[in-house]
Amino acid sequence: MLSREENELLCRIGPGTPAGELLRRYWFPIAVATELTEEKPTKFVRVLGEDLVLFRDKQRRVDLLADRCSHRGVSLLYGRVEEGGIACAYHGWLYDIEGNCLACPAEPKGSGFHLTVKHKAYAVQKFIGLYWTYMGPKPAPRIPKYDVWVRKDGRRKIVVYPLLDANWFQAMENSVDPAHLQILHQDTAMRGRTPVNTTRGFTDDIEKFEFYEIPHGIMKRRYYKRGAVDEHPLIFPNILRQGDATQIRVPMDDTHTFIYFVHFIPGGNGDGDGEEEPDVLYMPPFKDPPNGLHPFTRFRTDLVLAQDHMVWETPGPIADRTRERLATSDRGIVMLREIMMREIRKVQQGFAPIGVIQEPAQDVMIDTKLAESLEEMKARGQPPGGQVTALTEAERAIGRS
Ligand code: FES
Ligand SMILES: [Fe+2]
């Protein structure tokens, strides 16, 4: 159970909030690259609670600017893209990809007024068929080269899920809640088996669960009595790896979350390198009406992800964690909250949070399924090559304070 203040601290991600400042140290995908075209070179995007416009200028440079024009607030979604940037439809204030104002056409000739205008702009990069943004302090880190994003021995496919009408952290808590698979998904993920009863589902298949911290997040392990082991790492702060897929949850604002899946499919012609244009699938809505909130909508529950959306949304747009009753099976959730709080404090104290790649030497492929824990690494005295550096003692102390 959390206090109201702790719940707010975890969930609020707008500018200036502690969790918002933490999340602004990471890159987030904000659009499928093919969504910007010659005919439609602008797209409205809300991310981390900020209203922005993604656009491609006539030199095919892509950037993200604050939606509301610095002059009198008209949306740049309707701006005209030019050689040098985007011009507001209303009075033509022209912004380049850095947010510099290049012209204010209705001002007297030679006034230089435009030189006094600076518009908010964020870095954009195209990677694995998506546009990504970084909204934090400069210099921007690298987009991590997680193995399934950069492996060349296969291809990738993107699936865009319906907008989740709930806070992003609800989906992340689910990623360290392995017990739900055998119950919630008993009729969708178990290949037609019949459970002993529908209350227990397939809970009796499981020997135990294990969670431990790894350099880029939390390893979650599910041990089956028959000897198999599942490993689904949570890549901090907003990604679940499941099999060769990554589920990327992007906080749109406090109560809405975009979800992109990037599937890696090994084999084929093997020319994938993170620069390709993957196939894209847009999933139809999971609920009817699609924009309704519980209880004024009804979810379909015959698909694994639709079941997940149901359990992520029905606790409310921001789950009230002052009323929960955590149990033994929730210890992964407790761990995630503790890491989140620790990383918030680290950023407040000027440290980089886990998983942020600043050094060129660290900008190499990262095996997200590496099973070695931080404790094991420490015992060996060295983080293995290619891994994000393990926490320093000072950083760990922040977590204990
Ligand atoms: S409101 Fe944009 S130029 Fe006037
Ligand atoms: Fe699930």
Side-chain angles (χ1 to χ4, degrees), residues 114-317:
H114 65 278
L115 299 172
T116 66
V117 177
K118 181 77 183 168
H119 198 68
K120 191 189 280 176
Y122 292 121
V124 173
Q125 247 189 62
K126 188 176 160 193
F127 176 60
I128 52 173
L130 297 164
Y131 286 122
W132 299 65
T133 190
Y134 171 78
M135 297 165 65
K138 297 203 169 96
R142 319 285 171 117
I143 299 177
K145 292 192 171 75
Y146 294 132
D147 44 2
V148 283
W149 291 354
V150 297
R151 273 172 57 180
K152 293 177 188 282
D153 57 329
R155 60 192 173 85
R156 273 155 282 271
K157 177 181 174 173
I158 294 167
V159 183
V160 182
Y161 276 80
L163 184 68
L164 178 74
D165 292 319
N167 183 262
W168 73 289
F169 206 67
Q170 282 152 233
M172 295 319 297
E173 289 190 332
N174 176 79
S175 300
V176 275
D177 172 15
H180 84 273
L181 171 66
Q182 277 68 30
I183 300 170
L184 176 66
H185 303 308
Q186 60 180 282
D187 52 355
T188 48
M190 300 297 163
R191 299 198 187 90
R193 290 170 59 207
T194 306
V196 46
N197 68 57
T198 47
T199 302
R200 292 192 69 73
F202 294 96
T203 301
D204 298 322
D205 287 358
I206 303 301
E207 181 70 41
K208 63 170 181 174
F209 301 114
E210 206 174 76
F211 306 90
Y212 55 88
E213 194 173 356
I214 51 178
H216 46 269
I218 298 176
M219 180 59 79
K220 172 184 83 186
R221 278 185 166 170
R222 189 188 281 116
Y223 290 81
Y224 291 85
K225 287 179 182 158
R226 65 174 195 277
V229 182
D230 279 346
E231 284 188 346
H232 295 160
L234 181 154
I235 303 171
F236 191 83
N238 66 319
I239 300 165
L240 173 70
R241 175 168 173 181
Q242 191 185 25
D244 282 335
T246 45
Q247 305 183 18
I248 309 170
R249 289 81 181 248
V250 182
M252 175 182 180
D253 56 27
D254 289 342
T255 55
H256 301 89
T257 306
F258 299 113
I259 300 176
Y260 296 99
F261 275 40
V262 177
H263 292 271
F264 176 67
I265 303 137
N269 57 12
D271 59 357
D273 58 0
E275 300 298 322
E276 74 273 18
E277 299 284 356
D279 291 341
V280 182
L281 175 74
Y282 292 84
M283 286 293 278
F286 289 146
K287 56 184 181 175
D288 182 24
N291 296 325
L293 290 184
H294 175 70
F296 305 108
T297 190
R298 182 92 191 185
F299 284 88
R300 61 184 294 187
T301 53
D302 57 340
L303 295 173
V304 171
L305 254 290
Q307 293 172 326
D308 280 329
H309 273 230
M310 182 278 285
V311 300
W312 299 343
E313 273 196 34
T314 56

Side-chain angles (χ1 to χ4, degrees), residues 35-36 39-45 51-56 65-69 73-81 86-90 95 119:
E35 288 170 353
L36 289 189
E39 301 70 47
K40 248 179 140 183
T42 61
K43 184 181 187 214
F44 177 86
V45 178
D51 287 353
L52 305 160
V53 168
L54 183 71
F55 73 98
R56 189 172 79 179
L65 295 180
D67 174 48
R68 292 189 187 283
C69 177
V74 167
S75 172
L76 293 182
L77 182 66
Y78 301 95
R80 299 177 178 90
V81 295
I86 187 166
C88 176
Y90 203 3
Y95 303 102
H119 198 68

